Amino acid sequence: MFKGKKYQDSAKLIDKSKLYDANEAIDLVCKTSKAKFDETVELHIRLGVDSRHADQQVRGAIVLPHGTGKSVKVLVFAKDAKAEAAKEAGADYVGAEEYVTKIQKENWFDFDVVIASPDMMGVIGRLGKVLGPKGLMPSPKAGTVTNDVAKAVQEAKAGKIEYRLDKTNIIHCPIGKASFGTEKLADNFNALMGAVIKARPASAKGQYIKSCVVASTMGPGIKINSAKLGS
């Protein structure tokens, strides 16, 4: 596969055979981020668990210390006082059945996070097949099904991210923008890694963190020494 000149120049700065310390890897990501836009920095963590087993699921949510650098559009399913609280907290869209219809009939997805009060889950259940595959279905585990919708909206706007395993037992999460610089990205990296390590299932045996790679949107992946991450 052909890679552009900027990618090739960036790749020359990285030793593919080396496992870098986290801060060194993050510093390199900033140096190899050469696109004309502010690239997102992503973390990819392969875990020594089997996501096919319910007792080995790793999932949760965390507010990154410095946010993600992305403005987040929030849709809230709530009524009455909770709906008013969501609006005051800065939700972009607040409603009930009308938004279910809009998503189903218009294929409308102009939002990044969906939050719901528990009494609305019967209504949202009809959207499971469309929201689920996009990772947008609200869940109590991620804190997106809650009676305190205002707090959930504020956290989403502040840079709350959800981490979960994909089918290959890898977690993919943004940890900020390249413009954040090494220090802020390292803070976000440490917060996310700490949450993932804390979420280790009791049934997970052997090495928990198999590998850890950090990369910018257009840049090459940089391997981090997972042995130093409490695996």
Side-chain angles (χ1 to χ4, degrees):
M1 192 171 126
F2 175 75
K3 299 284 187 184
K5 187 176 182 302
K6 285 180 182 174
Y7 181 97
Q8 290 172 8
D9 288 345
S10 295
K12 286 174 191 169
L13 299 172
I14 298 160
D15 180 349
K16 288 269 191 232
S17 63
K18 183 178 174 182
L19 293 173
Y20 290 89
D21 282 344
N23 280 22
E24 197 181 356
I26 290 165
D27 193 43
L28 265 175
V29 161
C30 295
K31 285 176 181 165
T32 56
S33 172
K34 295 183 175 178
K36 286 179 180 172
F37 61 93
D38 191 6
E39 295 181 53
T40 295
V41 177
E42 288 212 338
L43 189 58
H44 308 278
I45 313 161
R46 182 186 291 278
L47 298 182
V49 296
D50 188 341
S51 62
R52 291 173 301 181
H53 298 292
D55 64 348
Q56 292 194 35
Q57 284 294 331
V58 177
R59 183 179 180 183
I62 181 172
V63 178
L64 295 175
H66 304 288
T68 61
K70 181 187 173 197
S71 58
V72 177
K73 285 190 180 177
V74 179
L75 165 63
V76 177
F77 285 93
K79 288 181 174 177
D80 305 325
K82 289 189 179 74
E84 288 307 313
K87 284 175 190 168
E88 281 174 27
D92 299 271
Y93 311 103
V94 182
E97 286 86 353
E98 69 272 25
Y99 280 112
V100 174
T101 306
K102 191 172 174 67
I103 291 166
Q104 287 176 327
K105 292 195 173 170
E106 298 174 29
N107 202 26
W108 175 74
F109 288 102
D110 186 28
F111 50 86
D112 307 290
V113 177
V114 183
I115 292 163
S117 57
D119 58 319
M120 295 302 294
M121 287 312 290
V123 175
I124 301 174
R126 307 205 297 272
L127 296 172
K129 284 183 180 171
V130 287
L131 293 183
K134 293 178 182 287
L136 289 168
M137 194 65 183
S139 81
K141 211 163 193 179
T144 44
V145 175
T146 174
N147 279 309
D148 194 347
V149 288
K151 184 185 175 193
V153 169
Q154 286 161 355
E155 287 181 343
K157 292 281 186 182
K160 184 176 187 175
I161 58 163
E162 188 179 346
Y163 56 87
R164 56 160 73 177
L165 290 171
D166 68 7
K167 288 189 175 94
T168 58
N169 304 313
I170 299 174
I171 286 171
H172 309 273
C173 275
I175 56 167
K177 296 283 186 182
S179 61
F180 280 20
T182 307
E183 200 173 312
K184 284 185 178 178
L185 285 170
D187 284 348
N188 282 355
F189 168 87
N190 290 330
L192 176 59
M193 283 305 306
V196 171
I197 290 166
K198 206 171 170 184
R200 177 179 181 147
S203 57
K205 301 286 183 276
Q207 187 182 359
Y208 179 51
I209 295 169
K210 291 278 191 185
S211 67
C212 189
V213 174
V214 67
S216 60
T217 310
M218 307 296 287
I222 302 163
K223 293 175 190 168
I224 292 173
N225 186 353
S226 56
K228 293 186 176 180
L229 298 173
S231 59

